[in-house]
């Protein structure tokens, strides 16, 4: 299944060192505006920007267009940025999963009946399908907790569940 990612989710997965593994298991897609937003980080020498650029060059991330009218309406109706709105817009009417950790993006996805996933679920999916080991999973989850804006106890609960499964 195609995974259409917004900038925040792609950056978090890059910073947590799992986006390459995810790209080997899923078809990763982002809109031009999301890609351009990420690539601006090269000016600040951000590693995640270079990594995502290389994945695009290697054709492991594909770019897609969004519906500009729907994007503008989503931006207005849900008070969100262009990248998140274009991600949702590009998924409407298509068989894909929207990958966003953005609260407004998640609301817009639900309102539009889109399949939805966030970076914690993607990391856990890589673990459950044995694409990454337990140590890599814990490190990745801790990194997205440190870098992202998740509910205070969300990542702790996931890490606790991992420990309980292991016992």
């Amino acid at each position: 299944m195609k995974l259409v990612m917004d900038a925040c989710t792609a950056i978090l997965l890059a910073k947590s060192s799992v986006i390459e593994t995810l790209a080997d298991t899923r078809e990763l897609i982002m809109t031009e505006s999301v890609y351009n937003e990420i690539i601006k980080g090269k000016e600040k020498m951000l590693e995640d920007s270079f990594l995502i650029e290389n994945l695009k060059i290697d054709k492991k991330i594909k770019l897609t267009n969004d519906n500009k009218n729907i994007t503008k309406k989503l931006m207005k109706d849900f008070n969100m940025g262009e990248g998140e709105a274009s991600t949702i817009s590009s998924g409407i009417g298509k068989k894909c999963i929207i990958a966003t950790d953005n609260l407004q993006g998640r609301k817009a996805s639900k309102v539009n009946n889109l399949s939805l996933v966030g970076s914690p679920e993607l990391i856990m999916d890589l673990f459950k399908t044995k694409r990454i080991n337990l140590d890599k999973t814990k490190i990745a989850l801790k990194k997205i907790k440190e870098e992202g804006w998740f509910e205070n106890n969300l990542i702790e609960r996931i890490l606790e569940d991992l420990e309980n499964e292991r016992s």
Side-chain angles (χ1 to χ4, degrees):
M1 180 78 61
K2 295 177 182 179
L3 196 63
V4 184
M5 308 173 78
D6 69 5
C8 179
T9 303
I11 290 167
L12 285 174
L13 294 170
K15 287 182 178 203
S16 63
S17 302
V18 297
I19 197 165
E20 302 99 325
T21 305
L22 187 63
D24 290 336
T25 64
R26 299 277 186 133
E27 184 177 347
L28 302 184
I29 300 169
M30 58 182 60
T31 64
E32 297 264 350
S33 62
V34 166
Y35 180 74
N36 291 334
E37 181 181 336
I38 292 169
I39 295 307
K40 282 182 186 171
K42 287 175 45 179
E43 295 166 7
K44 297 178 183 174
M45 300 304 289
L46 297 175
E47 281 185 47
D48 49 88
S49 297
F50 290 99
L51 174 58
I52 290 169
E53 179 183 51
N54 286 335
L55 288 171
K56 183 198 170 276
I57 290 167
D58 293 342
K59 297 181 177 17
K60 292 188 175 194
I61 291 179
K62 296 176 184 152
L63 300 186
T64 190
N65 294 317
D66 60 312
N67 180 314
K68 299 296 182 201
N69 292 330
I70 294 174
T71 296
K72 286 178 187 171
K73 181 163 177 35
L74 288 167
M75 288 172 69
K76 182 179 177 245
D77 291 351
F78 290 92
N79 190 29
M80 69 172 99
E82 183 180 358
E84 290 83 8
S86 70
T87 299
I88 309 305
S89 167
S90 69
I92 293 174
K94 297 180 184 154
K95 291 187 179 190
C96 65
I97 299 169
I98 301 299
T100 182
D101 295 311
N102 177 280
L103 182 61
Q104 292 305 101
R106 294 179 75 79
K107 286 179 186 176
S109 295
K110 288 177 185 177
V111 166
N112 287 286
N113 296 315
L114 298 172
S115 296
L116 177 64
V117 69
S119 53
E121 295 98 336
L122 291 168
I123 291 168
M124 288 306 297
D125 183 61
L126 290 171
F127 171 69
K128 289 177 181 176
T129 57
K130 300 183 183 342
R131 302 286 185 180
I132 60 175
N133 65 28
L134 181 61
D135 289 336
K136 176 85 170 181
T137 303
K138 288 179 181 180
I139 291 167
L141 288 168
K142 287 176 183 172
K143 187 66 174 178
I144 66 168
K145 177 186 176 204
E146 173 184 307
E147 298 283 342
W149 298 297
F150 295 100
E151 179 185 311
N152 286 341
N153 297 321
L154 176 68
I155 304 300
E156 284 89 1
R157 285 194 306 264
I158 295 170
L159 287 166
E160 229 174 76
D161 290 347
L162 273 172
E163 285 302 321
N164 291 338
E165 281 180 31
R166 193 173 171 200
S167 305

